[in-house]
Each structure stands twice: as structure tokens, then as C-alpha cells.
Amino acid sequence: MEAPPLTIAIDGPAASGKSTVGERLAKALGYLFFDTGVMYRAVTWVALQRLGSVEDEAAVTRLAEVVQIDVQPPSQNDGRQADVWVDGDDVTWAIRRPEVDQWVSRVAAYPGVRQAMTQQQRRIGLRGKVVMIGRDITTVVLPEAEAKIYLDASVEERARRRYLERKARGEEVNYEEILESLRQRDYLDSTREVAPLRVAPDAIVVNTDGLSVDEVVQKILAQIN
């Protein structure tokens, strides 16, 4: 059997299973798991904290260019996939709050923010032995990735997963609100002018509806090996 590819890029819409599958795949290969979405969440969170809103594109962009974001292996066994630090503060769970969900797509659409984050993402990805996940990894951030995967799932299935995930953390959640939020997120991600969500021509498309995480991981491993 040939050696697995050194750079694996996974794209797909929100809650399609990228994080869970990517993390499991990285563990199976002994690779770094890098969820690039946490960078945009971190910028959104810090903008809300320091600026009060994300509506001033120029101010948010300047913040993205100077803020120090670090992603490290998990230091706590509380369900996190990695530690996320902003200027020395652990914001791993803070960036998962509803207010960040509400604004992250707008922040991620700002060209200057994407440019700042893309540079950092490429530097990490090009080191090799990495599984990178996001919405433009296969098309913009790391188009030279040796293996490209596009994970997909119905919006109803994705809303169900997000609902169960938040409920398990003790949050008060409403399925219909999550469903509508994901529909809006899909629209914004697929229609933005800068790096819209799309399937790379040479990507392997995997629909995760009705499949367990293990089944999806095994399907990907069979393809890339």
C-alpha cells in the first residue's frame, strides 16, 4: 500500500461532520488536526469583545492583521478538539457561543480578514502531515493538497447534529432556530464574493447522511490510500 498523502484538505458546509471526521482521520494517520474555522471564530470573538460589533470591516481587518491566534493540541479532557488561544487567553469554548455563530460568516467574508488568516493557514498546511478542514481549503488555502475531500449532508441532518451537540453541553437550544441559522449560513458561505464555498473539481465528494463517523473515515481512507 502506498504512503498516505501528506496534506489532506477537507471542505464542506457547516455541521457536515468536518471537525469530527477530520479529527478522527488525523488521529488514524498520526497527523495534525487543524480546523481553520476556529481562526475566523477567534477574530469574530475578539472583534465583539474589543470593538463591540463586527460591522466596521476596516477595523475588524486591522484587528485580524495584528491579533495572535494559536491552535495547539487539547490540554483538557472536556470535549475540545484543540486549544484555541487569542493573545495568550484560552478562548476554546468562548468562540462557540451563539453570538459568534451569528456573525462569523460576515467576518469570514471580509477580504482582508481572509487574506490575514489564509497566510497563517498555508504556513501550517505546507509543513505536511496535516488534515486541514474549512470551507475554502481545497480551492483557495491549499489547492495543492495531495488529497481533497468535500463532506456534505442535508441541512436537516446538519441541524440535528448541531442541536444534539449543544444540548449535550447543557445549552438551551431550539432545533428550528438552528435549522434557519444553518440555512442562512449556507447562503452566505456559498454566495460571498471572496472564496465562496464550492466543490473543487478534483475533490472526492462524500455525503455523510446516514453514515457513522467510522464509516465516513473508512470511506475516506479507502479512497486516499
Side-chain angles (χ1 to χ4, degrees):
M1 184 171 62
E2 295 183 5
L6 291 176
T7 50
I8 300 172
I10 302 178
D11 285 336
S16 59
K18 298 186 302 295
S19 295
T20 305
V21 169
E23 183 184 31
R24 193 78 60 87
L25 185 63
K27 284 183 178 179
L29 295 170
Y31 283 9
L32 169 68
F33 172 65
F34 182 34
D35 177 357
T36 59
V38 301
M39 288 191 160
Y40 297 105
R41 285 182 168 274
V43 173
T44 303
W45 179 84
V46 76
L48 290 171
Q49 294 295 309
R50 299 180 188 178
L51 304 176
S53 79
V54 302
E55 297 185 12
D56 186 338
E57 180 177 346
V60 175
T61 298
R62 286 194 297 271
L63 197 56
E65 291 171 345
V66 299
V67 71
Q68 296 298 310
I69 303 172
D70 194 16
V71 181
Q72 300 178 357
S75 62
Q76 301 180 44
N77 187 23
D78 61 357
R80 67 181 63 195
Q81 296 166 324
D83 288 355
V84 182
W85 298 83
V86 170
D87 290 338
D89 293 325
D90 184 346
V91 299
T92 304
W93 291 122
I95 64 173
R96 298 291 177 181
R97 291 174 181 166
E99 59 267 30
V100 175
D101 286 347
Q102 181 181 357
W103 295 109
V104 66
S105 283
R106 177 177 291 197
V107 171
Y110 291 155
V113 173
R114 297 203 72 84
Q115 183 177 4
M117 297 300 102
T118 295
Q119 291 174 357
Q120 296 188 50
Q121 294 161 13
R122 280 187 60 78
R123 185 171 63 251
I124 295 171
L126 290 173
R127 293 173 186 160
K129 290 193 173 184
V130 61
V131 175
M132 296 180 71
I133 71 166
R135 289 177 181 75
D136 63 349
I137 310 306
T138 64
T139 56
V140 176
V141 177
L142 209 64
E144 62 269 64
E146 295 177 23
K148 300 177 185 178
I149 310 294
Y150 187 93
L151 286 189
D152 207 356
S154 67
V155 68
E156 292 81 8
E157 173 64 15
R158 290 184 282 126
R160 184 186 70 84
R161 292 172 184 169
R162 183 62 57 83
Y163 171 83
L164 293 175
E165 174 187 296
R166 289 184 176 171
K167 193 174 181 180
R169 292 209 299 263
E171 298 180 22
E172 289 190 13
V173 288
N174 179 283
Y175 170 81
E176 294 299 331
E177 290 179 359
I178 293 174
L179 180 62
E180 180 58 27
S181 175
L182 283 177
R183 283 177 174 152
Q184 293 178 8
R185 182 77 169 272
D186 287 350
Y187 176 77
L188 288 170
D189 287 343
S190 61
T191 60
R192 66 183 177 224
E193 292 184 10
V194 180
L197 173 66
R198 62 185 178 88
V199 183
D202 53 346
I204 301 167
V205 179
V206 178
N207 190 295
T208 64
D209 280 359
L211 295 179
S212 69
V213 175
D214 285 337
E215 288 171 333
V216 175
V217 171
Q218 289 306 314
K219 197 170 185 177
I220 294 173
L221 284 171
Q223 291 276 2
I224 66 177
N225 284 330

